[in-house]
Amino acid sequence: MDSSKASPVKELLVGLDEDTEEYASLSGLLQEFTSISSIDKAWIFKSESGTGTGSQAMFLVSQPNLLANKQRKFLMSTSISNDSNNNVNFQWAPFPVETTGVSITVPSPSGSKLLVVRNPENESPTQFEIWSSSQLEKEFQIPQSTHGSVYADGWFEGISWNSDESLIAYVAEEPSPCKPSFDCRGYKQGGSKDTECTSWKGQGDWEEEWGECYVGKKQPALFVINLKSGKVQAVQGIVKSLSVGQVVWAPPVQGINQYLVFVGWSADPRKLGLKYCCNRPCALYAVKVPLYKPEVSESDLKSFEESTVVNLTQSISSAFFPQFSPNGKFLVFLSAKASVDSGAHSATNSLHRIDWPTDNKPRSSTKIIDVIPVVNCAEDGQFPGLYCSSFLSQPWLSDGCTMILSSYWHSSQVILSVNVLSGEVSRISPADSGFSWNVLALDGDNVIAVCSSPIDVPQIKYGCLTEKVINTTRWHWLNVSSLIFECSEKIMSLLSRLQFGILQIPVKDVSDCLTKGAAESFEAIFVSSNVNDAPDPLIVFLHGGPHIVSLSSFSKSLAFLSSIGFSLLIVNYRGSLGFGEEALQSLPGKIGSQDVNDVLTAIDHVIEKGLVNPSKITVLGGSHGGFLTTHLIGQTPDKFVAAAVRNPACNLSSMVGVTDIPDWCYVESYGTNGKTIFTEAPSAEHLTDFYNKSPILHISKVKAPTLFLLGARDLRVLVSNGLQYARALKEQGVETRVILFPNDIHAIERPRSDFESFLNWCLVQEALQMNRKSQCCLMLNMLLFV
């Protein structure tokens, strides 16, 4: 990268030498990108007419706080109205309200109340607050002896108000079992307090956790709080081998026969890592709970302690995200059965429906109706299958049978409408821009969404259903003015010099493909300058997983890299989500070969089109993307001038015995058969096969200077995996730099860690692309001083 390409971001600082000056300038620009906010959730409080006119909206917004090294959360409110010309107006409150110490915020069904949960620190109680529109109405302190923290992770998380807003069901950590106490005479009966200096508590039995992101969380359980009395009850009848989550109230009935529906994950035979892993079997269950009304006798309540839990989805291997229709006549849910049955950690979803029994007595024999089946291979331009990471809390249009949801469609995220009675699926977000869209909330039959691209900061959109005839719906999307995504003129100027496109990459060696879907083209997102004649240096970005997808949405870190003069090639190699099940399942058993060849094919594609300079290519990836990156610099050592990896899987033979997902090593190495042969005691043959699939097999050929970014608390790919590879590179004289983040896990997403990661990677790029290889070590060894 020559100095002219760096000039837009260069701000000379008096008294600093050239390298320190550039370091400070780039650091300042990255801080500007980092400070751009994002919307986590949104809620609509409908007008009495239900038309959307006069609605109120509340947005939960997050912004990285580098000084505190955490996400700052705040609420922004707005009034929504339509004028006589059918223009939508958002009247924003003058200032946001920060939600310090708040773990979860959940409005009641009517929108008249707001639940605020503050999880405990150390041994303090969990705090429940019930707010009205003007004041705090009630506050409850729930001690650790009742339960631990309320789950707020988005997977086990579940908080549900009942219909009359008198009860709230939720998921929290079950109290820890008592531990043995000892003093100078040995075992002490009656226990001891932690503060006593003459005795101590032992550790007791080891309790298994659900792996990465669930340290300290062992047993999620169901609880119900009565908002009149403040009494909290654990829901009885659920076996200890089930970990529960995503609870919802079933439709209300007369008397005390009230049911909760929840998701249960079995811990038999053991708990494997759950974060990012949809291949863990789970089912929907119904359990009867008491309503705790004054007229209910003790004998009636006692019967609930002996009630059985009903498995509603025995015939399917996966069921989650339960959602009742507005009239309560049917229950829909998402399934990852393709993932569970194949062993791939994520795959194409399916959507299903259960018609809720008219007598309100759920049965295990209830028929499961397929709404959206798994799509194996879609025709050109057609729906590629469902890839949905969540549902809205209120996803229904006024007809009571149409859901609005977000899903991946190749390299973009789109908004779909799904009729859960007919199975009709329609794409309602625009299909001609290449942008990614995400639904935030429904305002009556209108949609509030956010859209963005790799070069366009997010923008709020308001979608109106303008016409609905047989098999056809038309939506009109309006721009919404908002300061949520406000950024500087400098950033807007830099982004305006960029362009992007989604490239179709033909598969090489089609004869090797076993299915039609595996032979279909895959995609890569290409971001470049629109003002330079000569190609910019290229950064190849590779997602992890491998069964996830890089979307055509705004990424602050990648936008920063492209804004300072680098082209980006973001490759969605075969095996990525969004392209049909056959393409996805073509990768397991072929990692380290098919995915590597796809990346090389994508690079050759842009070289042949004259879009990049083949002598200035670097590569960046994390997790499986790091696996690919280290494979690439070993298998094609002269193709890349530098590399960076975040928590890379470099040696599967050493990873399999310590990771929280050992089954991943088997499935990705052997294919679906890996699920069958998976064992906690790998044979010598298995270990040899893992080694031969690993990047470390090719380490002796590596030449590219490499930056390692490692999280010391990673349970998925332990830090030793990356350190072994880095030390071996140093041993053979390859320029290597390791940055270890002591408090980060697999994702390395704490604000300071993410900031330092991309700043250091950028500086390595700067040094190498300017042919200053003699300065590479200096740049690698510069540490942040901001």
Side-chain angles (χ1 to χ4, degrees):
M1 177 173 158
D2 58 38
S3 57
S4 65
K5 291 176 183 174
S7 59
V9 302
K10 198 124 183 174
E11 295 179 351
L12 299 180
L13 302 177
V14 178
L16 297 178
D17 61 39
E18 181 180 355
D19 291 331
T20 307
E21 179 184 294
E22 183 173 26
Y23 189 82
S25 176
L26 291 172
S27 173
L29 180 64
L30 180 55
Q31 279 188 310
E32 289 194 48
F33 273 98
T34 300
S35 65
I36 299 174
S37 299
S38 59
I39 298 176
D40 298 334
K41 292 181 180 179
W43 301 273
I44 297 294
F45 305 98
K46 297 179 182 179
S47 61
E48 292 183 0
S49 64
T51 62
T53 304
S55 301
Q56 302 288 322
M58 187 167 66
F59 296 83
L60 179 62
V61 182
S62 62
Q63 181 184 39
N65 183 346
L66 289 170
L67 290 178
N69 200 20
K70 61 183 180 180
Q71 292 290 332
R72 174 177 280 119
K73 303 279 187 178
F74 51 92
L75 293 171
M76 295 190 69
S77 300
T78 183
S79 299
I80 305 172
S81 59
N82 296 325
D83 60 25
S84 57
N85 297 320
N86 289 323
N87 295 317
V88 63
N89 298 309
F90 278 56
Q91 185 66 43
W92 295 91
F95 298 103
V97 177
E98 188 167 11
T99 57
T100 304
V102 174
S103 302
I104 311 172
T105 304
V106 183
S108 66
S110 68
S112 63
K113 299 177 183 178
L114 183 69
L115 168 67
V116 173
V117 179
R118 301 180 191 271
N119 273 327
E121 296 181 3
N122 301 319
E123 296 299 316
S124 59
T126 299
Q127 185 169 313
F128 276 47
E129 301 170 1
I130 306 298
W131 290 82
S132 68
S133 59
S134 60
Q135 63 183 1
L136 176 66
E137 287 191 347
K138 294 182 179 181
E139 181 177 3
F140 307 106
Q141 304 284 339
I142 305 171
Q144 294 272 330
S145 58
T146 301
H147 62 67
S149 294
V150 175
Y151 276 72
D153 62 281
W155 195 234
F156 285 118
E157 177 184 341
I159 294 184
S160 181
W161 293 74
N162 73 334
S163 59
D164 67 7
E165 303 184 354
S166 63
L167 302 171
I168 296 176
Y170 60 96
V171 181
E173 178 68 14
E174 194 173 77
S176 299
C178 294
K179 295 182 178 181
S181 298
F182 305 92
D183 59 18
C184 59
R185 294 181 296 275
Y187 176 70
K188 182 179 180 182
Q189 292 186 346
S192 67
K193 296 180 180 178
D194 291 334
T195 55
E196 290 183 8
C197 60
T198 59
S199 62
W200 71 93
K201 282 189 176 181
Q203 296 303 312
D205 292 340
W206 171 70
E207 296 178 75
E208 197 166 45
E209 301 164 348
W210 282 103
E212 177 77 8
C213 296
Y214 290 105
V215 173
K217 297 180 180 179
K218 303 174 178 65
Q219 188 61 44
L222 282 187
F223 298 86
V224 174
I225 182 171
N226 186 310
L227 298 183
K228 294 180 180 178
S229 66
K231 184 177 181 180
V232 176
Q233 292 281 345
V235 176
Q236 303 296 318
I238 303 173
V239 296
K240 295 295 183 182
S241 60
L242 277 185
S243 292
V244 306
Q246 302 176 17
V247 61
V248 294
W249 288 96
V253 296
Q254 293 296 323
I256 62 172
N257 259 352
Q258 185 67 54
Y259 284 89
L260 288 172
V261 173
F262 64 91
V263 183
W265 290 264
S266 175
D268 185 25
R270 63 159 288 194
K271 295 177 181 177
L272 290 167
L274 190 62
K275 186 70 172 179
Y276 313 118
C277 296
C278 297
N279 57 332
R280 308 302 175 216
C282 56
L284 296 188
Y285 297 86
V287 62
K288 195 161 43 174
V289 293
L291 295 185
Y292 311 111
K293 292 184 177 180
E295 62 272 18
V296 178
S297 68
E298 290 296 325
S299 61
D300 289 332
L301 291 177
K302 187 176 181 180
S303 66
F304 286 96
E305 298 178 6
E306 302 169 356
S307 63
T308 58
V309 175
V310 179
N311 186 335
L312 301 172
T313 56
Q314 286 184 343
S315 62
I316 194 169
S317 57
S318 170
F320 54 96
F321 292 156
Q323 181 76 237
F324 279 96
S325 61
N327 61 11
K329 290 185 177 181
F330 50 86
L331 173 68
V332 297
F333 63 91
L334 205 62
S335 175
K337 62 178 182 178
S339 179
V340 173
D341 297 347
S342 68
H345 71 88
S346 189
T348 312
N349 297 143
S350 52
L351 186 70
H352 306 269
R353 186 183 86 239
I354 293 174
D355 292 336
W356 197 248
T358 55
D359 61 2
N360 290 299
K361 294 181 179 180
R363 299 170 180 85
S364 58
S365 58
T366 302
K367 181 182 178 181
I368 297 176
I369 302 166
D370 296 342
V371 177
I372 301 178
V374 170
V375 175
N376 288 313
C377 181
E379 298 299 325
D380 290 344
Q382 299 302 305
F383 174 60
L386 188 61
Y387 303 89
C388 184
S389 58
S390 64
F391 285 163
L392 296 177
S393 58
Q394 301 291 338
W396 302 98
L397 295 184
S398 59
D399 63 7
C401 62
T402 301
M403 296 180 72
I404 302 296
L405 51 84
S406 301
S407 180
Y408 307 149
W409 190 306
H410 296 177
S411 296
S412 299
Q413 187 172 40
V414 303
I415 303 176
L416 303 175
S417 72
V418 178
N419 186 306
V420 300
L421 297 181
S422 68
E424 179 187 352
V425 179
S426 300
R427 179 174 176 171
I428 69 171
S429 55
D432 56 355
S433 66
F435 280 52
S436 279
W437 291 69
N438 183 37
V439 60
L440 296 174
L442 301 187
D443 183 20
D445 279 344
N446 302 321
V447 176
I448 297 179
V450 63
C451 77
S452 68
S453 84
I455 62 173
D456 296 275
V457 295
Q459 183 177 7
I460 298 176
K461 297 283 189 174
Y462 193 85
C464 303
L465 180 60
T466 58
E467 184 178 356
K468 188 171 184 179
V469 295
I470 298 176
N471 296 325
T472 303
T473 57
R474 289 187 175 88
W475 290 77
H476 178 55
W477 293 93
L478 304 172
N479 294 327
V480 174
S481 61
S482 166
L483 299 179
I484 292 178
F485 305 110
E486 186 178 31
C487 56
S488 67
E489 293 183 5
K490 182 181 188 179
I491 288 179
M492 296 303 294
S493 175
L494 290 170
L495 293 177
S496 69
R497 307 180 187 195
L498 303 175
Q499 59 187 353
F500 85 98
I502 299 176
L503 308 178
Q504 302 296 315
I505 314 294
V507 172
K508 287 186 178 179
D509 301 322
V510 173
S511 60
D512 294 337
C513 299
L514 300 179
T515 60
K516 179 183 176 182
E520 296 290 329
S521 298
F522 59 98
E523 292 184 349
I525 303 167
F526 186 68
V527 184
S528 64
S529 169
N530 62 15
V531 295
N532 295 319
D533 295 329
D536 289 328
L538 178 69
I539 299 174
V540 180
F541 180 82
L542 305 173
H543 67 68
H547 309 301
I548 59 175
V549 64
S550 291
L551 295 172
S552 61
S553 55
F554 188 74
S555 162
K556 294 183 282 187
S557 301
L558 295 183
F560 163 70
L561 293 175
S562 57
S563 73
I564 60 175
F566 296 104
S567 294
L568 302 178
L569 183 66
I570 306 167
V571 184
N572 283 319
Y573 46 86
R574 283 174 294 167
S576 302
L577 299 179
F579 295 85
E581 188 64 10
E582 288 181 354
L584 186 144
Q585 293 294 346
S586 71
L587 180 57
K590 299 178 182 178
I591 58 168
S593 54
Q594 177 178 295
D595 45 4
V596 169
N597 291 332
D598 281 356
V599 176
L600 293 174
T601 299
I603 295 172
D604 291 342
H605 182 85
V606 292
I607 290 175
E608 291 167 4
K609 288 184 172 292
L611 300 175
V612 303
N613 184 338
S615 66
K616 293 186 176 182
I617 301 176
T618 59
V619 59
L620 166 65
S623 192
H624 187 84
F627 171 91
L628 275 176
T629 297
T630 45
H631 256 304
L632 287 162
I633 60 177
Q635 293 189 36
T636 55
D638 296 316
K639 202 169 191 74
F640 303 95
V641 296
V645 288
R646 293 165 64 133
N647 287 328
C650 299
N651 186 349
L652 302 188
S653 59
S654 61
M655 172 182 166
V656 68
V658 292
T659 178
D660 67 330
I661 53 168
D663 59 319
W664 180 94
C665 299
Y666 276 87
V667 171
E668 297 302 336
S669 296
Y670 291 103
T672 301
N673 187 47
K675 182 184 175 187
T676 304
I677 65 175
F678 164 58
T679 172
E680 298 283 2
S683 66
E685 180 184 0
H686 291 168
L687 293 174
T688 299
D689 290 341
F690 292 147
Y691 187 88
N692 289 334
K693 290 280 187 180
S694 301
I696 201 166
L697 179 69
H698 306 282
I699 196 169
S700 62
K701 297 176 286 185
V702 175
K703 300 177 183 178
T706 306
L707 173 66
F708 289 80
L709 307 161
L710 306 176
R713 297 188 178 183
D714 188 353
L715 297 181
R716 188 130 302 174
V717 184
L718 268 66
V719 66
S720 56
N721 212 267
L723 286 176
Q724 179 196 29
Y725 192 93
R727 287 165 176 155
L729 284 186
K730 286 186 177 182
E731 188 176 69
Q732 62 191 45
V734 177
E735 291 185 49
T736 306
R737 172 67 179 169
V738 176
I739 300 179
L740 182 67
F741 300 100
N743 296 311
D744 277 85
I745 56 175
H746 190 59
I748 310 185
E749 59 188 5
R750 287 154 59 90
R752 291 182 189 174
S753 305
D754 186 67
F755 181 90
E756 187 172 353
S757 296
F758 277 90
L759 181 59
N760 277 273
W761 172 233
C762 172
L763 293 171
V764 174
Q765 293 278 336
E766 292 278 301
L768 289 169
Q769 300 291 6
M770 295 176 71
N771 294 317
R772 292 187 286 145
K773 290 191 177 183
S774 62
Q775 298 184 31
C776 180
C777 283
L778 169 63
M779 301 298 277
L780 284 170
N781 281 283
M782 291 178 69
L783 298 177
L784 280 178
F785 53 86
V786 293

